[in-house]
Amino acid sequence: MIQVAQLFKQFDKTEVLKDIHMTFEDGKTYAIIGSSGSGKSTFLRCLNGLEKPTSGSIVIDGVDIVKNEKELPKLRQHIGMVFQSFNLFEHKNATDNVTFALMKVKKISEDEAKKIALAKLKEVGCDHRATHFPHQLSGGEKQRVAIARALAMEPSVMLFDEPTSALDPEMTVEVLKVMKQLTHTGMTIIVVTHEMNFAKEVSDTVIYMDKGEIVEIGSPKEFFEETRTARARQFLANML
Amino acid sequence: MNIDFTSTIPYIPYILQGIIITIQIAIVGAFFGSLIGFLFSLVSHRKNFLGATVRGFIDFFRGTPLIFQLSFFHYGLPQIFPGFLPTAFQTAMIIFSLNSSAYLAEILRAGIEAIDKGQIEAAKALGVSKFHTTIHIIIPQALRNVLPAIVNEFITLTKETSVASAIGVQEILRRQAIVTGTTYRPFEPLLLVGITYYVLIKILSILGKMVEKRLKYDSSSTTI
């Protein structure tokens, strides 16, 4: 469980996150939506400490990561992250991208790590690209390898930061398909996305953010069909 | 044409033995220069005392001529520290190491900055330590980015060892001057020295090309 309370984040003088309260329950899928600059990516990045909050608390399985920065490297092993720009290690092929953290962080032997890597690559449908380097992969393949890399660590939480924003529609479909499979595995999944259909069909809870605040939280049905706030209605109107 | 090797020929082995000194200075300079330069490149951007000191050091070695650095170390410092009497060869090895470390630190820094920061974040998000990220992600890519510049620096370093002749190091150029002093014929030994340097540099750049090829990371499979 991830409990966020009174979370504030400032960059210089701009307030990016203002008094965020949110509880993420285990095994659920959350979609965070909102226009650019709403603070949704910053919020997500706070959840694994890539962004340091100005104040507030983020309690993950009983540990406040704002106060206990030393716990972060350990905690991050349980929190997978997938980025908009894939961020694959460019000098390593797909398999080695996956095995790297397994060997260096989990201290798993090379043979064992390779087995895990191949299994995970198969899971995301990229096993035929196992020896390819990132620059030889399509965008969708890169993102799927990045997902395999995160999954190999067997995290209990997966964070997706606009995973399909850099992809064309066809590739978006492949990646969303893989993500959809993950929702049935018991992992907590938190996705920052512009894909309204994904939010609508796959998530358990939709979080709408605007100007650094959580404006509305609800089930997809509630949010898309019975939108309560004017700001969210405006946002949805602009999306369609 | 006034070319006659007869008086120079007996001295050819003497001149060519200078290659060993030249190569020694170049290798020591390249090795310690890389080592120190690498350490400097990791801290030179830091906004603390260590970073400022390293930046000052780099600035000094890039901001003054090599011949000044050699003279200052060899002739200047012993006046202030009476017990400090480095031989010309020791001076050359130390100054060439420090001088090339300053340039290599800047080259490597550029290589590090050229790496896409997202990969470093990805490593962080996977729980990888800073140490492993530096060794396995940052350094290999930084090196690959700047390998041509590094080879270039080694070539410059090898050629500049000739400046050490000015403080009396018996490297190849110095030996030419000594031979000319006895034979009164500058052209023949100079020609020999020029060819030697050229061959030396050629070998170095071929080696550099080979390493560059090996470090390319797409030799194993095909592009889609």
Side-chain angles (χ1 to χ4, degrees):
Chain A
M1 193 153 76
I2 305 175
Q3 287 161 300
V4 181
Q6 285 172 299
L7 187 73
F8 285 86
K9 171 74 188 173
Q10 274 175 312
F11 287 120
D12 295 324
K13 291 223 164 113
T14 354
E15 279 208 310
V16 187
L17 296 177
K18 295 174 218 164
D19 198 19
I20 301 280
H21 290 259
M22 181 69 208
T23 301
F24 296 98
E25 280 168 48
D26 289 345
K28 293 270 167 65
T29 301
Y30 296 84
I32 306 178
I33 59 174
S35 42
S36 303
S38 59
K40 54 194 193 308
S41 278
T42 307
F43 179 35
L44 191 78
R45 290 163 57 84
C46 282
L47 296 179
N48 70 346
L50 283 184
E51 217 67 75
K52 194 177 156 38
T54 311
S55 66
S57 69
I58 300 171
V59 180
I60 302 175
D61 297 331
V63 184
D64 184 350
I65 61 164
V66 181
K67 286 200 189 75
N68 302 292
E69 268 186 82
K70 281 189 187 137
E71 298 290 320
L72 272 176
K74 229 175 158 189
L75 263 164
R76 283 185 182 129
Q77 295 178 38
H78 308 289
I79 307 175
M81 180 141 186
V82 173
F83 302 86
Q84 178 178 351
S85 47
F86 326 122
N87 297 353
L88 291 177
F89 306 128
E90 281 163 25
H91 61 309
K92 292 181 182 292
N93 67 26
T95 311
D96 294 344
N97 259 280
V98 182
T99 56
F100 178 61
L102 289 174
M103 286 158 61
K104 297 301 172 209
V105 180
K106 285 200 158 177
K107 311 282 177 205
I108 292 173
S109 74
E110 194 177 346
D111 288 345
E112 196 59 32
K114 281 213 162 117
K115 268 185 219 157
I116 298 174
L118 274 178
K120 294 296 166 188
L121 287 173
K122 196 164 189 178
E123 228 178 283
V124 299
C126 279
D127 45 331
H128 62 301
R129 294 279 185 245
T131 57
H132 283 55
F133 284 88
H135 70 274
Q136 299 167 322
L137 301 173
S138 72
E141 286 169 340
K142 277 186 210 175
Q143 194 60 297
R144 284 184 285 151
V145 171
I147 292 173
R149 176 174 70 178
L151 286 179
M153 300 295 281
E154 306 209 313
S156 48
V157 180
M158 280 287 278
L159 307 177
F160 290 87
D161 189 4
E162 303 198 26
T164 58
S165 297
L167 302 175
D168 58 36
E170 250 174 280
M171 293 169 178
T172 299
V173 173
E174 341 172 319
V175 171
L176 290 179
K177 217 157 91 190
V178 169
M179 288 168 61
K180 205 169 169 179
Q181 286 167 19
L182 299 179
T183 58
H184 309 297
T185 55
M187 267 187 284
T188 310
I189 296 172
I190 307 173
V191 187
V192 168
T193 187
H194 292 290
E195 291 293 323
M196 288 308 126
N197 284 331
F198 183 80
K200 209 182 275 181
E201 288 159 24
V202 180
S203 73
D204 298 302
T205 304
V206 177
I207 301 163
Y208 169 66
M209 288 182 71
D210 187 35
K211 296 188 180 117
E213 295 167 317
I214 293 182
V215 178
E216 192 163 335
I217 304 175
S219 71
K221 197 170 153 52
E222 285 166 356
F223 181 77
F224 287 103
E225 289 167 24
E226 302 149 34
T227 319
R228 294 191 302 271
T229 57
R231 276 201 268 179
R233 269 198 293 275
Q234 183 62 42
F235 171 74
L236 287 174
N238 288 343
M239 289 301 288
L240 300 170
Chain B
M1 234 187 328
N2 182 12
I3 299 177
D4 180 6
F5 276 91
T6 33
S7 62
T8 306
I9 285 171
Y11 295 105
I12 287 177
Y14 171 73
I15 293 176
L16 290 183
Q17 275 160 24
I19 297 173
I20 297 167
I21 310 276
T22 296
I23 291 176
Q24 270 178 334
I25 298 173
I27 288 179
V28 167
F31 179 76
F32 286 103
S34 306
L35 204 72
I36 303 168
F38 167 62
L39 295 175
F40 281 177
S41 72
L42 296 179
V43 293
S44 69
H45 66 296
R46 290 194 190 165
K47 288 183 182 72
N48 56 15
F49 179 72
L50 184 66
T53 311
V54 168
R55 281 197 299 280
F57 179 92
I58 293 173
D59 204 39
F60 172 78
F61 277 95
R62 283 167 31 114
T64 55
L66 187 60
I67 188 150
F68 159 77
Q69 293 160 16
L70 287 164
S71 309
F72 187 74
F73 194 87
H74 193 56
Y75 302 122
L77 291 185
Q79 184 193 317
I80 302 171
F81 308 106
F84 181 71
L85 288 167
T87 65
F89 185 56
Q90 287 165 345
T91 300
M93 289 195 292
I94 292 168
I95 291 300
F96 278 100
S97 298
L98 297 179
N99 185 280
S100 65
S101 79
Y103 284 95
L104 287 167
E106 289 290 276
I107 292 171
L108 287 168
R109 188 76 232 145
I112 291 171
E113 268 154 27
I115 299 172
D116 160 39
K117 294 289 166 294
Q119 293 177 57
I120 297 163
E121 264 196 350
K124 208 172 168 183
L126 286 162
V128 180
S129 67
K130 263 194 181 148
F131 173 78
H132 281 308
T133 307
T134 306
I135 299 295
H136 299 284
I137 306 296
I138 299 178
I139 300 301
Q141 292 192 49
L143 273 183
R144 201 167 276 142
N145 287 344
V146 296
L147 195 70
I150 291 176
V151 172
N152 213 6
E153 170 57 25
F154 287 167
I155 287 174
T156 306
L157 169 67
T158 310
K159 287 192 286 193
E160 282 195 332
T161 54
S162 59
V163 178
S165 63
I167 57 164
V169 176
Q170 302 250 334
E171 47 70 72
I172 184 164
L173 190 70
R174 177 77 177 178
R175 288 173 189 239
Q176 169 275 321
I178 292 168
V179 170
T180 299
T182 30
T183 62
Y184 299 106
R185 300 193 72 87
F187 182 84
E188 293 83 359
L190 272 174
L191 184 69
L192 184 67
V193 167
I195 292 169
T196 310
Y197 274 122
Y198 184 80
V199 171
L200 218 54
I201 299 304
K202 207 74 203 164
I203 294 171
L204 202 55
S205 57
I206 290 169
L207 283 177
K209 282 268 174 327
M210 280 162 62
V211 177
E212 250 174 78
K213 246 192 194 146
R214 282 202 62 171
L215 279 180
K216 284 236 168 88
Y217 38 72
D218 45 5
S219 47
S220 60
S221 50
T222 48
T223 314
I224 52 159

